[in-house]
Amino acid sequence: MFNFMNRLQTQIFAFFVILLLAVQSISFWMSFNSNKQLEQQQLSNQLAVAEVVFQAEYENRNYYLSAFAETAAKDFGLKDIFIDGDNRSFLVALNNHRKRINANLAIAVSAEGKIIGELVANRSQGREKVALGSEQGHAFRYSLATEFENINPLYLLDGKLYQIKFSPLTSGGSSVIGWVGFGYVIDDKLAGSLAQLTGLSSGFYLNAATAQDEQKSAVPNTNPEASVLGQFIGHSEPEFSHELQAIVVNYLIQDLRHDDYIFWRQSLGTVDGQHVFAYMFQSVSDVLQTLEQQWLKQIGLLLLLLPVSLLLAFIISSKITRPIKQLIEQAKFIAKGNYDSSVDVGSSLELKQLGQEFTLMQQSIVSREKKIAHQAFHDPLTSLANGNELNRVSSAWLQQGTSMGLCLINIRRLTEVNLTLGHAVGDEVIKEFAQRLAFFSDRALVCRISGDEFVLAFESLATEQVASLMAELQQQVDHKYCYHDIMLHLQFTAGVSIFQQGIDLVTLLRQADTAVQHAKSNKLDYQIYTPEIDSNTLDRFQLINELKHAIDSDELVLFYQPKMCLKSQQITHVEALVRWQHPKKGMIPPDVFIPIAEKTGQMHGLTHWVLNEAIAQYHKWQALGINLGIAVNISAENLKEDNFCEWIITLLQQTQMPVSALTLEITEDAVVADPDHAIAQLKALKMHGLKLSIDDYGTGYSSLTQLKQLPVDELKIDKSFVQQLMTDNDDQIIVNSTLQLAHNLGLSVVAEGIEDKATLTWLTEKGCEMGQGFYLSRPLSAAAFNEWLAKQSV
Ligand code: C2E
Ligand code: CA
Ligand code: CA
């Protein structure tokens, strides 16, 4: 119901209905009022007309009677007979006169006041019957001699009321010899003709006079009929009910009006002490009958108009709301995801505009939805597909039962880029990397799934294809990238997993991730997932548990790799490199367990062991007369310790190892994590005379100018720039410029990874201070080293 009332169409319809009702009620009220006025006018008009008509008729009769009485009085013949007293012929003559005006009464009165002729004419059944009046020969009731001028024009005779007029009969001049008079009866006939003229019921009423009236009356009340209180002596209505009679009498005598009737009355005077009234009346309903009919017609018209206009209002309101309904339908249609149809809601300017706006809105929803959909399935930074898209596409592939393969690619050292050069540069590196990977988009879905992780998803990939794929990847990705004045070497580590029956995307991704981790910890460029890697991972867990024991129980061994002074071609230093001689697994390389030690807080113990071992070896060599400086690798974890510096100094003092014989090799990344703290530590070490060397130089992202701030003595150019030095022109440029810059900064340079003689010669020529590498010797146990050294001096 509420819904229904709330609907626009209902509201418009309601508005029309209210408007209509208001207009109709106003017009009804106005016509009702004017109708009422018209009624009043009609009623008063009717009465005014009635009065005029009555007056005219009544006066006319008076005038006619008196004029004729005068004429008759001048008739000599009549006079003669009157004087002669020939009664019979006089009556005949009198009747003749009467007939001429159709009078109902003719009276002749002698000078003495005696009625000498009284003729009453009665009409019945169309014939006139004339008879002598009952007063023939009697004295006339009115005194004509004295009161002729004021003679009452009304006369009652034998129960009938007459309207009479007299004229004196004179003889020989002016002596009055008698009177002659004529009268018309006041009766139903007169009432009838009045009624005909006025359209009202008419009549005459004779009412017994009040006592007061009687006293006033000059004429004694001699008529026996006057004792009757009142009577109708003429009436136009054939049926004049007692009820109606009572209403009329009430009006005439007590002036009591009745709502249903209009009345008019006139007192015609008194006769024999009784009042004579003329009256007219009519029922209001009769007068107003035509008006009422008109009124009914009007109401009928209004009532007829009402449903018609309601129907019109309904049609209009539904027409107005139709476009809105159409738009609602369209909106529902759009909500279901249909965007193609255009909206046309009508021909008016506004509706057209609305339709256009609606279509526009539809289109912008489409484009926004596309954008959202794109965002949901794409990485905003690189515009490559994201994890959702990978999920979507590979789910389809997996459903079809394909042999899909994933290649998870990790950008190396992106965290360092972010930390040293800022995230803006990091983003640029990611974008560049993405662009290089996009090369594969014709064969694979290229996705970025997290910060430095990308995926190449192949619908079908076989293990045999991986090697060539990786070579191609290497070629596309693994080369330098120059951002402003910074040269960055974009490298990656990849893990490949290939679909096996019964696994899902999550597992496939996890396997690729395991492969990546394996490649990383084995310093490989890539690794294909095999179940053995997982067991390796398992091994890693075991190693974690066993490492502490290994440190405590001397399962670790130090190997030594010589560092040669290129100028003198003498072995002046060694680098101490730790190995784990595992009782079951054999020799474990440091790349496997050093990261574990770093992550499990065992670096202090490990470095402690290495340093002790190296110092012990130093003393052994000293005892053998071999003077070698020893370089020990220090992890970032060590630099985080607050008292690391004190600890080393104390250790050197305790073991009586000369500070100058020890070099600490620190990678750039060790400084990056907390530069202020690291620099403070390094400065303290340097202050005590320790030699500091930056290890793996060139793989990190610190520039030489940044290195200037570090209190170091030596740069170790990373082996990746040295191993192919003779074949790679870029490497030569890098190594050469590093040498120059380092020398400008007063640093000596060590090149590691020398694997051939040419490289050694090249470096010697370029003025590199020291060299290290398999060409000289692999890292060796102390005993093997001693042997090797002995051979060298030969
Ligand atoms: P590093 O400090 O860069 O050590 C040099 C690594 O390069 C050694 O691997 C060495 O065997 C290898 N190498 C030397 N010359 C050549 C060459 O001509 N060609 C090739 N291909 N490789 C060469 P190693 O001994 O496996 O050590 C790996 C890494 O483990 C070291 O890299 C170092 O970062 C870490 N490490 C080793 N011992 C310790 C240690 O006692 N303490 C700490 N904190 N880290 C250590
Ligand atoms: Ca080193
Ligand atoms: Ca190194």
Side-chain angles (χ1 to χ4, degrees), residues 575-577 631-634 665-667 695-696 716 752 772:
E575 180 180 0
L577 295 159
V632 172
N633 293 286
I634 301 296
E665 293 190 5
I666 302 144
T667 55
D695 204 353
D696 300 348
K716 271 186 96 170
E752 63 173 8
Q772 179 186 351

Side-chain angles (χ1 to χ4, degrees), residues 540-559:
R540 261 169 69 94
F541 284 115
Q542 281 172 354
L543 286 185
I544 293 172
N545 292 328
E546 292 167 359
L547 185 60
K548 193 175 165 7
H549 173 75
I551 297 169
D552 294 344
S553 60
D554 271 351
E555 276 178 23
L556 300 180
V557 216
L558 267 193
F559 272 41

Side-chain angles (χ1 to χ4, degrees), residues 432-450:
E432 175 65 24
F433 201 87
Q435 225 161 39
R436 292 180 186 185
L437 281 186
F439 173 80
F440 294 92
S441 44
D442 56 340
R443 274 170 277 172
L445 177 70
V446 185
C447 323
R448 176 175 175 232
I449 57 169
S450 75

Side-chain angles (χ1 to χ4, degrees), residues 360-375:
L360 270 179
M361 182 185 79
Q362 210 169 292
Q363 285 162 356
S364 57
I365 290 175
V366 174
S367 69
R368 220 170 305 150
E369 210 170 68
K370 273 187 189 155
K371 219 161 137 190
I372 291 169
H374 184 87
Q375 277 171 1

